[in-house]
Amino acid sequence: MESTALDHWLSDLNLPTWRYYEEVGSTNDIALAWLDRDAPDSALVVAGHQTHGRGRLGRTWISVPEAGLAFTLIVRPNAQSPFPVERLTALGALAVTQAFKAGFGVDAHIKWPNDVLIAGRKVCGILVELAWQEEQLQGAVVGIGINVGRAAVPPAEGLHYPATSLEEALGHPINRWEVLRRVLEAFLAWRSRLTDPEFMAAWEQHLAFRGKWVQASDGLNPPLVGRVEGLSPEGHLRLRLEDGSEYRLSAGEIRPLPAPFAESSGGEDA
Ligand code: BTN
């Protein structure tokens, strides 16, 4: 039934192939196994529902039937499309932000490195996982989870970061397969253009918290406080620290600082 609905939404896209599962543990697991066999670049795995969705940093991704969208795209090196691993998370996040704007008129921003926010609250998370065979990188999977309906937003007490849904932003329900289609359109449009300067420019343009004070953690060292300036050519987050020096965050995550701190740090637009 759902796969017939998906046929309707996906059939005229330039997707090489896709598989739909009513219920899976994690679409990333299915995609990694498929990648290990013969999946082509841009093959898609979609789930009606995930029972063991994963997030970054060992977190759980809760997937609510009907209201949530969980899918994974396979990316592998090929002659036509470049394979810059460090841009794959941004590829997913940019595809989602552009799909929200083009399809539904909703402004969204990328909270470096892997979340999409609407009005400062998380609506989507991206999990990229790499597949190695001995020393050789075989490819990667780009897992995307989107809170489409209000019911997809988990209760606040279990949340690591405030969350919202696309439906809440729009004020009316929306078909999750239409959202999927829009994201895939944007994903496919960027897939062969990852090394173009326009890709970095689009990522920069959608960066959340530009000019704002954030706390940045790399998971190894004590957190730092800095103002977001933008991206380095490698896609690292450029921060201006309180002593005026520049710091480039290559991994980890950021959190906006509450206003009183931001003001005392001289953040006029924080
Ligand atoms: C995060 O916010 O930390 C990333 C969440 C990624 C969730 C998606 S849902 C589809 C794919 N399958 C998974 O198990 N995780 C990703």
Side-chain angles (χ1 to χ4, degrees):
M1 190 67 174
E2 288 286 30
S3 77
T4 316
L6 266 177
D7 262 333
H8 164 75
W9 287 105
L10 308 187
S11 59
D12 64 334
L13 287 178
N14 206 12
L15 265 185
T17 175
W18 55 272
R19 292 180 180 175
Y20 172 77
Y21 298 82
E22 192 56 48
E23 183 176 290
V24 292
S26 156
T27 53
N28 272 24
D29 285 341
I30 304 278
L32 284 165
W34 192 9
L35 172 59
D36 191 43
R37 295 193 303 276
D38 55 356
D41 184 64
S42 299
L44 167 73
V45 176
V46 194
H49 173 48
Q50 284 188 137
T51 53
H52 291 86
R54 296 196 283 281
R56 279 175 80 236
L57 311 171
R59 295 180 187 134
T60 299
W61 179 263
I62 294 169
S63 156
V64 177
E66 313 284 321
L69 190 49
F71 60 101
T72 300
L73 283 143
I74 290 165
V75 183
R76 67 188 323 153
N78 68 27
Q80 290 79 44
S81 300
F83 188 73
V85 172
E86 66 288 354
R87 295 191 181 180
L88 298 181
T89 302
L91 168 62
L94 190 56
V96 171
T97 51
Q98 291 189 329
F100 284 2
K101 186 67 179 174
F104 312 104
V106 170
D107 284 318
H109 291 92
I110 300 171
K111 174 177 167 284
W112 188 95
N114 74 310
D115 293 337
V116 176
L117 309 181
I118 295 177
R121 290 190 290 155
K122 179 165 171 172
V123 65
C124 161
I126 318 279
L127 177 66
V128 170
E129 294 179 293
L130 303 182
W132 297 88
Q133 222 166 54
E134 288 162 14
E135 305 282 284
Q136 189 71 30
L137 184 59
Q138 298 300 303
V141 300
V142 182
I144 303 180
I146 303 177
N147 300 332
V148 176
R150 288 174 199 266
V153 180
E157 55 276 15
L159 286 177
H160 174 74
Y161 198 85
T164 189
S165 64
L166 185 55
E167 181 182 338
E168 192 173 338
L170 278 171
H172 60 79
I174 183 155
N175 184 324
R176 62 180 171 156
W177 304 138
E178 183 180 356
V179 179
L180 173 64
R181 184 202 160 85
R182 291 287 187 171
V183 175
L184 294 174
E185 280 172 345
F187 181 97
L188 293 170
W190 282 117
R191 170 64 191 99
S192 57
R193 304 185 59 214
L194 290 179
T195 51
D196 290 3
E198 290 80 14
F199 179 81
M200 289 304 290
W203 184 6
E204 279 264 9
Q205 198 196 334
H206 289 89
L207 205 57
F209 308 126
R210 180 189 299 281
K212 312 267 181 181
W213 290 91
V214 297
Q215 177 173 288
S217 328
D218 66 5
L220 300 170
N221 300 297
L224 290 169
V225 167
R227 195 197 276 254
V228 175
E229 291 204 321
L231 297 169
S232 75
E234 304 79 32
H236 300 169
L237 190 68
R238 289 192 299 107
L239 298 170
R240 186 65 55 187
L241 304 186
E242 288 170 290
D243 65 4
S245 62
E246 186 187 271
Y247 182 85
R248 294 186 177 195
L249 188 67
S250 61
E253 60 184 353
I254 60 170
R255 262 180 184 276
L257 286 178
F261 180 88
E263 279 149 23
S264 68
S265 298
E268 74 273 2
D269 59 354

